[in-house]
Amino acid sequence: MEITDLVGTAVRSGVTWGADAVRRLRARSGFDGPRPCHVLVLDVDDTLIDTAAAMRTAARAGALEVWPQSSAADRERFGEHFSGDPEGIFARYTAGELRFHEMRKARIATAASDVGLVWESRRYRRFCSGYDPAFAAAQRLYPDAMAAVQAAERWGITVVLLTNSSNSATRMKLQVLGVSERFEHVVTTDTLGFGKPDPRIFEHACALAGAAPADCIAVGDNYANDVAAARDAGLRGLWLDRSGRGIGGEPPSIRALSELPAALSRAV
Ligand SMILES: [Mg+2]
């Protein structure tokens, strides 16, 4: 936080100006000390936005269009499988092996097979007529998301969004949530034709904001894609693990974005 911001905050808050006020205001803002990085490379899905929940809701709506006679329990299981993607089909999309709609069709087919529903590819548009509006309507920012973004920006850090989703889907999400004008830099799988964990996408995200990877910190919910891959590309990585369970002996860096300012302070 710049000193002028602190003065302004003090005046607006009616705080008597002085060293003690600076200390208290910095403590209230959630961070202190020198800026830890120039750029925060921030994941979107399941980091800023609860995408998994939106996908489960949307997949159930798509299934209802295609299989109106299916049971609620079957649609629930279909949504879980579609969202969970245990076959790793989304990773083939981010590697550039599948196009977006090929990826989605493959996930419908495997989820349908799991539930015992008969899927015909010619019904894809029907599925989308249920899925797409339900997905848009189900978009939710995590309650701690924008406060963390604002805290970083007050610190003078440039926030770059880096997502493995498509450009059109990402634009829709940000627009529905009223934050489409909020982010100057948004990098998607369409930007270079592939996504994380390829190190070149991290290098591109850093270069967009004019920073070297060593001066950037990546934050996201997917340890392999957002943290390990970022570190391989020369960035520092902070892992957001809302479950708090950790993975392979690696503990979470943070369990909520509300912990981000303090974690950044420690990353100086
Ligand atoms: Mg994510």
Side-chain angles (χ1 to χ4, degrees):
M1 178 177 277
E2 299 297 325
I3 197 76
T4 49
D5 296 330
L6 288 169
V7 172
T9 307
V11 170
R12 287 191 297 276
S13 306
V15 175
T16 304
W17 187 243
D20 187 52
V22 171
R23 184 184 56 72
R24 280 186 284 127
L25 283 165
R26 280 196 161 141
R28 189 188 301 173
S29 72
F31 52 82
D32 197 2
R35 184 173 59 177
C37 61
H38 276 87
V39 176
L40 185 65
V41 178
L42 195 56
D43 176 51
V44 176
D45 293 314
D46 299 312
T47 295
L48 289 181
I49 299 172
D50 190 355
T51 307
M55 289 183 82
R56 287 193 297 272
T57 299
R60 290 196 299 268
L64 185 60
E65 286 294 326
V66 176
W67 301 285
Q69 308 302 325
S70 60
S71 69
D74 280 354
R75 293 193 297 276
E76 181 81 25
R77 192 168 150 198
F78 175 89
E80 289 288 339
H81 193 116
F82 181 92
S83 174
D85 184 25
E87 292 81 12
I89 296 166
F90 189 76
R92 293 175 55 202
Y93 161 69
T94 59
E97 295 172 18
L98 294 175
R99 287 182 290 187
F100 185 85
H101 290 289
E102 292 172 332
M103 175 272 295
R104 190 188 268 181
K105 285 179 183 174
R107 288 171 73 173
I108 298 168
T110 55
S113 173
D114 176 48
V115 180
L117 298 167
V118 177
W119 167 245
E120 295 172 284
S121 188
R122 64 182 176 84
R123 310 206 70 188
Y124 179 63
R125 290 183 67 170
R126 181 96 192 188
F127 179 86
C128 292
S129 75
Y131 183 98
D132 289 339
F135 187 62
Q139 296 301 310
R140 300 284 183 275
L141 283 164
Y142 280 105
D144 54 10
M146 294 314 292
V149 169
Q150 286 160 8
E153 289 175 340
R154 283 202 303 270
W155 212 339
I157 296 171
T158 300
V159 176
V160 176
L161 298 186
L162 173 57
T163 172
N164 270 358
S165 189
S166 70
N167 184 58
S168 63
T170 303
R171 287 290 165 199
M172 179 280 290
K173 292 170 195 170
L174 299 179
Q175 191 161 9
V176 164
L177 293 166
V179 293
S180 60
E181 303 298 316
R182 187 69 181 66
F183 299 99
E184 184 181 351
H185 304 298
V186 181
V187 180
T188 72
T189 292
D190 297 318
T191 304
L192 296 183
F194 51 81
K196 298 173 273 189
D198 194 305
R200 291 172 294 175
I201 200 74
F202 286 99
E203 291 159 7
H204 179 79
C206 299
L208 264 185
D215 207 8
C216 303
I217 295 179
V219 176
D221 69 292
N222 183 306
Y223 182 77
N225 281 348
D226 299 320
V227 181
R231 290 172 181 167
D232 287 346
L235 295 80
R236 284 168 284 169
L238 292 176
W239 182 32
L240 167 64
D241 178 13
R242 293 185 189 274
S243 77
R245 288 192 291 268
I247 186 170
E250 176 84 13
S253 308
I254 52 175
R255 295 182 58 169
L257 286 176
S258 57
E259 299 171 14
L260 182 60
L264 288 175
S265 291
R266 293 193 297 271
V268 171

